[in-house]
Amino acid sequence: MQRILSRFCLMLIVGFTFLLSVNAQESDTTKPTSLDPNLLAWQNATRPKEYTISSIKTTGIYFLDSSIVISISGLQVGSKIQHPGGDEFSKAIQNLWRQKLFSNVQIFVIKILEDEIEIEINVTERPRLGNFFFKGINKSEQEELQGKIGLAKQTIVTENTRRNADEVIRKYYADKGFRNIKLQITEKSDTSYINSISLTFIVDKGQKVKVNNINFFGNESVSDLKLKKKLKGTKEVSRFTLYPKKDTTIFGTNPRITFKEYLKDKGYLSLSKTKNFLDPWFRFKLLSSAKFDEKKFEEDKEKILNYYNSIGYRDAVIEEARPYTIYNGNVNIDFKINEGHKYYFGNIVWKGNTKYSDSILNSILGIRKGDVYNIETLNQRLGKQLTPEGGDISGLYMDDGYLFFRADAIETAVYNDTIDHEIRMAEGPQARIKDVNISGNERTKEHVIRRELRTIPGELFSRANIIRSQRELGQLNFFNPETIGINPVPNTEDGTVDINYKLEEKSSDQLELSAGWGGGIGLTGTLGVTFNNFSIKNIFNKKSWDPLPTGDGQKLSLRVQSNGKIYSSYNASFTEPWLGGKKRNSLTYSLYSSKFTNGYDYFTQRFNKQRADSSFLKTLGAGVSLGKQLKWPDDYFSLVYSLNFTQYKLQNYPIFAGLDSGNSTNFSFKMALNRNSAGPNPMFPTSGSNFLLSVQATPPYSLLNAGLSNDNKYKHPEYHKWRFNAEWFIPLGHPTGAEKNRQFIVKLAAKYGFMGRYNRKLDFSPFERFQLGDAGMTNNFGLLGYDIVAHRGYPIYENSNPGVNPTDDPSQARNFFTIFNKYQLELRYPFATSPSSTIYGLTFFEAANGWYNFKDYNPFSLRRSAGIGMRFFLPMFGLLGFDYGVGFDRLKPGGGLKAASKFTFMLGYEPE
């Protein structure tokens, strides 16, 4: 048995040895032997060596160009690389990876032949966007988000693309008050394009996060209500809350708990802070638009501190302002305030002033010892914040050429509740204007702009002249007043300053067009054009017609109006604002002609030619006016002289009692003194005032001709007419930044008119009276030269008794007033002030009335009205306005509001 085992073990050893020898021979066949001619090449390929790239191949590319990929990698055919062990391949991979165009990059060695090497760059391009969709939101929100996220088809989709879209969507809804949004971005292959995917944004907005309650702690000197008013972007949900009796128990809760205890248990400290109580049987919700906005919340914290600083609490701090979520998903906000001490101004000492004495500077500064400390007021008085009104220390110096002036207020001592200041001034040298450069005037000629500027080369720099120049450019109405840029560039080397004006042209021409067809009378309509930047000297220059010759600042107006065969009117006027080109002397010519017939037969409702030829009123008129800018009392004043001639020819056309046929000639002279500082936008003034005093008179025919009587008074009507208008534009507040063009403007106006006569034996002239009521639309097509005075909320009225209106006594004749008063208050708010349109809303209160003589005149007997309106100024169509007014004196018991209200429409001009 032992012998058998020994033989078996020997056989196993021999067999195992045989297998090892066979495997060794097979392995040696793959390795070069000492006789193999490739032995040296194999050994060299496994050792670092410098090779020359003989070819570069790219694979995996769908959209990009191979040459671009190779160029980005930094590898080039013919360049030297070290392989293996070199860093050229790793650098090439990094170069490609940095482009964020690929999701994978590999470099392979294809072939090595002697000193040359062939390589392959294999890339996997990132997928491109095929399409994208939204789920969970409405169509309007989808359209808004499409423009905000900036995705475009066939752009490369990266992680940054997804992250940016996520941030934009979340911010979009956060601004709307949805702060708990859930967003999921899914992707799938898009077979419409090669290597493309489509993204789907699944949005769950959740509920709006609103501010339920705002609590203040530590505010001992300022009430909660005042602080809440300073929070412009953070408001509480407004509610009307009905509370049960003090000791009433709450149903559904522990019957031992009173209402007050229940509130305290819910986290409310007192009954005065229970606006966010949610039990429906105790609360009736009125308004719930108090969304929480993180950005506005941070801005509101600054507003609170600014308010504290403005009332002397310069050390006031908000130690904690914590919005915290309550159980209904909304937030409460707690402000913990440390007011600090209230401070007052102490002694103010001036240093460095040589131009003006301390007493003059103190008078302009307007801050006395003992005044409540307010750093904002101090900076404003020093001129740190430039205002058009001026009146500060900086304006005092800069209006006299001290462009390099600087004043800094330094606190020198703080003791008890008093702060002393030292104002350190560096007056610097006076700077003169060197160059005035203008850009952006594509149509308007440069001399038209330069003649409006108050900044003239060689003169001393003046901040007031820059502000005035900006106003004058805005008054031209050729440029966008909101974007007029004025940039002074100081030259410290020679003490001069260059002033650069950057302008943006806008269309100022207007078109009036309407048309219709009247049964039996033919075509009706109006065609009017006004060119406000005309150039008459280039009217025969074909090259200047684009489409009309423009650029010289002249005004040409043409208007044709027709009511078929019943009425026709033709008007033309031309204004040269700078007669002679050196001074602001305006010259205006005007011509007009009209005809009104009684040719319409109301029985047949057709035009009757025979009747039209036998009953008509024709007018023919011309006027010329010369305006001059005055320098005293200041250069806001202007004086205008006008000569007007109008001839009336009547045939069987009774206008007034005693006048139905014959000729009447109205020849008058008018003088108007005007001071206009309103601006800078003439369509929507935000500051300044406008005053007008005028007198218009005919020759005193009755005094020159004793034979003139009431029998022939219409042949040469005589009168003297006086007008006074005053308007003020007052901005509310001092907004800055983006809110600068979003401020309320108050307009105050007072207007008076009086018509007199030379001879008491003669009646008042029927011409040139005052028509009151409606939206300023005239009767009889304006043939009689009435002054049209609008009174919104009332139709045209002729009775001085406010209780008697046309709806009460419609049979009264249209015999208009010789005296009128009107007072107006408007609150305006701009919605758009761009070159393409100026849009603003308004609310108004008006009081007006008219009288026939001084015997009946009572300035306190006025018709009153109030209402709302909108104004649209469109470049080609001028003014479009709507007003809805309620006449208080038209209100009757049981009559309702409708009977006392009136909707009015205006087109082309703003009525008085």
Side-chain angles (χ1 to χ4, degrees), residues 718-734:
E718 63 176 27
Y719 57 87
H720 54 94
K721 183 168 67 173
W722 302 78
R723 289 292 307 272
F724 176 73
N725 293 353
E727 295 177 336
W728 295 267
F729 300 92
I730 306 169
L732 298 182
H734 298 280

Side-chain angles (χ1 to χ4, degrees), residues 736-780:
T736 58
E739 297 180 356
K740 191 173 183 180
N741 297 327
R742 292 289 185 271
Q743 68 179 134
F744 286 97
I745 305 296
V746 174
K747 176 189 175 183
L748 298 172
K751 301 178 182 182
Y752 306 93
F754 162 70
M755 171 183 279
R757 51 187 174 177
Y758 301 110
N759 193 334
R760 291 183 177 273
K761 296 180 180 179
L762 300 179
D763 293 335
F764 288 98
S765 168
F767 300 96
E768 302 289 343
R769 293 195 180 193
F770 305 111
Q771 173 188 303
L772 274 72
D774 206 66
M777 303 300 289
T778 181
N779 73 320
N780 285 337

Side-chain angles (χ1 to χ4, degrees), residues 257 260-268:
I257 300 177
K260 184 175 180 179
E261 291 171 336
Y262 174 76
L263 295 176
K264 187 175 181 180
D265 181 66
K266 291 294 184 181
Y268 305 105

